[in-house]
Amino acid sequence: MGWVDALGWFGSALLVFSLLQARILRLRVLNTVACVILVVFNAVLDVWPMVAMNVVLAAINLWFIARMLRERGDERAYTVLPVGADDAYLQHFLGVHRADIARFFPGFSGAQGAARSAYLVQHGDETAGVIVVHDAGDGTAQVDLDYVTPRFRDFAPGEFVFRRSGLFTDAGFRRVVTAPGMVAPYYDRLGFTRTGDHFTLELA
């Protein structure tokens, strides 16, 4: 196998692999790289219709990537909606994502409980995630669940919820403490500080 064949096989494999991604931004980025590789491959072989197709696909991907990155920092992209802890849609959402939630929050047993409040994080009419918290006293909000669906994990809805939504300060909280034992926490990127097995954010 020459380098041209290897390049074609690699580009094709990467293209297929990109379509297996649940995270949309990652899908678009990998798909773009695959298209660029296949542009080179087909250009070497003088297969110009395939060159043209992959150039167009790469351009479409880049347009969507640029739009996604703009929305990532746009406060208007997300809305936080309060719901009852026994809300039917919330229970349906938690049930659908039960296995994935258990991976990251193994200690989470459900939204119902004393003094717990639940919020849906919406991107338009699509639910990007759910937040469940309770009042731990002394102006502290304890996060019991901070779940984001795989599709939205590249778009930092947590930054909006914790830093810009006003969700916690409007409720009179002065700090936020995350759930202990969370798998793969990301809170250090949002300005939280690690304290033992959890993270703390002091609110302005």
Side-chain angles (χ1 to χ4, degrees):
M1 180 185 295
W3 72 268
V4 175
D5 289 329
L7 187 68
W9 280 111
F10 177 71
S12 298
L14 184 60
L15 184 66
V16 172
F17 179 71
S18 72
L19 298 176
L20 299 175
Q21 306 304 306
R23 297 168 70 158
I24 302 302
L25 182 58
R26 181 180 297 177
L27 184 156
R28 291 287 183 183
V29 170
L30 291 176
N31 199 274
T32 302
V33 174
C35 287
V36 171
I37 292 172
L38 292 174
V39 164
V40 175
F41 171 72
N42 286 290
V44 170
L45 298 179
D46 293 331
V47 186
W48 300 110
M50 296 300 294
V51 169
M53 183 188 74
N54 282 286
V55 167
V56 171
L57 291 176
I60 291 171
N61 281 326
L62 290 172
W63 185 85
F64 275 104
I65 290 170
R67 192 179 76 170
M68 290 175 188
L69 293 178
R70 283 196 304 270
E71 288 184 353
R72 190 174 188 171
D74 188 352
E75 294 184 7
R76 297 168 297 178
Y78 296 102
T79 304
V80 180
L81 300 178
V83 294
D86 58 351
D87 179 83
Y89 177 74
L90 173 65
Q91 296 305 316
H92 169 74
F93 182 88
L94 294 177
V96 169
H97 298 281
R98 181 179 292 111
D100 200 34
I101 289 172
R103 287 178 54 213
F104 297 100
F105 289 84
F108 181 73
S109 58
Q112 290 94 344
R116 277 186 170 176
S117 302
Y119 304 87
L120 298 175
V121 182
Q122 296 292 127
H123 183 273
D125 62 354
E126 187 173 358
T127 301
V130 62
I131 306 287
V132 178
V133 302
H134 73 265
D135 187 343
D138 194 29
T140 300
Q142 168 74 56
V143 177
D144 299 309
L145 177 66
D146 170 24
Y147 177 74
V148 176
T149 62
R151 168 175 162 77
F152 287 97
R153 285 178 192 159
D154 291 322
F155 300 108
E159 182 176 352
F160 169 74
V161 171
F162 292 108
R163 305 292 300 187
R164 291 181 285 173
S165 70
L167 171 65
F168 298 100
T169 54
D170 291 349
F173 292 113
R174 299 192 304 274
R175 72 183 59 83
V176 179
V177 177
T178 66
M182 178 187 177
V183 177
Y186 66 98
Y187 299 106
D188 54 339
R189 300 197 297 270
L190 302 183
F192 284 73
T193 56
R194 181 182 283 276
T195 309
D197 61 353
H198 61 268
F199 292 81
T200 302
L201 176 67
E202 298 292 337
L203 302 173

